[in-house]
Amino acid sequence: MKLKQVLMASLAALTLVGGNAMAIEKFKIGYLRVMDDAQAMAAYEAGLYKKYGLDVELIEFKSGTDLVKAIVGGQLDTGVFGFTNAVAWASKGADLKVISGAQLGYHAIVVREDAGIKTVADLKGKTLASQAEGSTADVVLKGVVLKNAGLKSDDVNVLGVSPQVAVQSLVGKRVDAAFLFEPQARIAQLVAPVKQIYEIGEVWPFPCMVVITSGDTLRKRRAAVWMSLDAQRDAIELLKKKPADAAKMIAGYFIAEPTLKTLKHGEMLREDVIRDAIKSQTFAAKLSDKDQNRMQEIADILQQQGSLKTRDGKPFEVRSIIDLSWQKDRKL
């Protein structure tokens, strides 16, 4: 009887991949509930992790800071989030590796129609909801968007809140504007009297979200890590080529009810809202030289702002934490 139980347990842990039996490995992936992480959600919902032999537990985090702590602490195998958190921790000695791309940064500034804001420069003296201080979005907002408009960080009252709270704050008229990624930027324009005045992805594209792991996990579980990247690469293809299908899979992550009540279009199916948000994005598993150079620019901004300090005072070399062995092996 015991032998039979062992055999049944062993069979339960196998799956067929390409016609061959393959052991299922348990794997933990952290993500944020934003469109930038759509490939992690889509890979899970479409069964792509299982296709490659992984039994994935997808764990939601409220911030990139909490997510990177979990990776450093060994509670996660990989995570999809803004690379500035990895840079900050790596500069203090944490063994972290950026192992693939995920999504290019598309962050819109939406403003209340009654706030009298037509350009980014008009934000002076206004209140704007954005992400937590030190996040990739916060760094780009202050170091690129406001700076290029001739504004200093303290010219605008920036509130670090979640995207969901930012949308609610626009609806309740508690803020004048918000710096939002998808799908919250699109949802805000549907449920509140706001308009978009700026999109950084159109003028200063940058790799916002990347896949990160610890050096220890990469050394010990390289094959499993690569399987997870294979699954997410396939998910990116799904998002690109079949956005409507992908939207049906992941819409519930962003909008709880089947429909969204809008100001001008009545009730909209949530998958239609998310489909349009997916189509507006640029997902990419590959990190190009241009992407890496832009990441270095953002790290330099972090250092200029005083949020990033190296032990020797020299500029932090982003490429020192980038491992593109999966990308090279897959010939991306």
Side-chain angles (χ1 to χ4, degrees):
M1 181 62 72
K2 290 184 178 179
L3 178 59
K4 183 178 180 181
Q5 290 174 339
V6 170
L7 289 172
M8 290 180 68
S10 298
L11 288 171
L14 294 175
T15 186
L16 287 177
V17 180
N20 298 313
M22 182 176 184
I24 290 284
E25 285 194 58
K26 291 189 177 297
F27 201 84
K28 293 183 178 181
I29 298 176
Y31 78 103
L32 304 176
R33 199 176 288 256
V34 293
M35 188 57 63
D36 308 50
D37 285 29
Q39 72 277 6
M41 305 171 208
Y44 183 82
E45 296 298 331
L48 296 173
Y49 291 124
K50 288 184 178 179
K51 170 188 171 183
Y52 285 99
L54 295 179
D55 178 11
V56 164
E57 181 180 357
L58 202 59
I59 304 172
E60 180 186 358
F61 286 80
K62 299 300 182 184
S63 72
T65 300
D66 291 338
L67 205 162
V68 75
K69 287 180 181 178
I71 289 180
V72 171
Q75 288 84 43
L76 291 174
D77 293 300
T78 65
V80 184
F81 59 107
F83 79 94
T84 53
N85 282 288
V87 167
W89 279 74
S91 70
K92 299 173 184 176
D95 184 16
L96 294 169
K97 297 295 180 183
V98 175
I99 52 177
S100 88
Q103 188 257 8
L104 294 184
Y106 279 77
H107 291 59
I109 292 181
V110 296
V111 303
R112 291 197 351 248
E113 292 177 350
D114 61 355
I117 302 170
K118 295 182 179 180
T119 67
V120 176
D122 294 333
L123 289 170
K124 186 172 184 178
K126 303 292 186 179
T127 299
L128 177 142
S130 184
Q131 300 298 294
E133 186 174 2
S135 65
T136 304
D138 179 69
V139 173
V140 170
L141 170 68
K142 296 174 180 176
V144 179
V145 181
L146 299 184
K147 183 178 179 181
N148 288 350
L151 297 175
K152 298 178 181 178
S153 297
D154 56 7
D155 284 336
V156 182
N157 181 22
V158 179
L159 303 180
V161 298
S162 71
Q164 294 79 12
V165 171
V167 174
Q168 294 167 6
S169 298
L170 285 168
V171 173
K173 296 186 176 183
R174 295 187 294 274
V175 297
D176 302 299
F179 190 46
L180 295 168
F181 33 54
E182 292 292 357
Q184 284 77 23
R186 189 166 304 274
I187 290 172
Q189 294 176 72
L190 290 170
V191 302
V194 300
K195 61 183 178 181
Q196 179 176 315
I197 64 164
Y198 178 90
E199 169 54 71
I200 191 170
E202 296 175 356
V203 296
W204 204 81
F206 67 100
C208 179
M209 295 293 194
V210 293
V211 183
I212 297 172
T213 188
S214 69
D216 186 57
T217 297
L218 190 58
R219 286 187 292 272
K220 293 178 178 178
R221 306 195 68 194
R222 180 177 293 266
V225 170
W226 283 20
M227 285 188 278
S228 73
L229 296 179
D230 288 340
Q232 288 172 191
R233 173 204 58 203
D234 289 1
I236 286 175
E237 288 303 302
L238 173 66
L239 290 161
K240 288 180 177 179
K241 297 178 180 179
K242 298 181 178 180
D245 291 346
K248 291 178 182 178
M249 296 177 188
I250 67 174
Y253 282 83
F254 305 109
I255 304 172
E257 299 300 323
T259 60
L260 180 71
K261 186 176 181 180
T262 70
L263 291 179
K264 299 178 182 179
H265 308 290
E267 297 282 345
M268 285 186 66
L269 292 174
R270 64 185 180 186
E271 54 259 40
D272 289 345
V273 177
I274 300 306
R275 177 203 61 210
D276 292 344
I278 290 172
K279 291 169 70 174
S280 72
Q281 302 299 283
T282 300
F283 299 97
K286 180 180 178 179
L287 280 174
S288 66
D289 287 339
K290 184 177 180 180
D291 293 333
Q292 294 174 68
N293 291 338
R294 186 51 58 86
M295 290 164 72
Q296 184 65 56
E297 286 184 65
I298 296 175
D300 293 343
I301 292 171
L302 262 176
Q303 209 155 353
Q304 293 164 12
Q305 293 176 343
S307 301
L308 174 64
K309 296 180 181 180
T310 57
R311 293 174 179 176
D312 56 10
K314 295 181 180 179
F316 181 85
E317 293 293 334
V318 169
R319 280 179 170 78
S320 68
I321 64 168
I322 295 178
D323 184 317
L324 299 182
S325 54
W326 170 81
Q327 178 175 306
K328 292 175 182 176
D329 183 79
R330 298 307 191 252
K331 295 180 174 58
L332 298 186

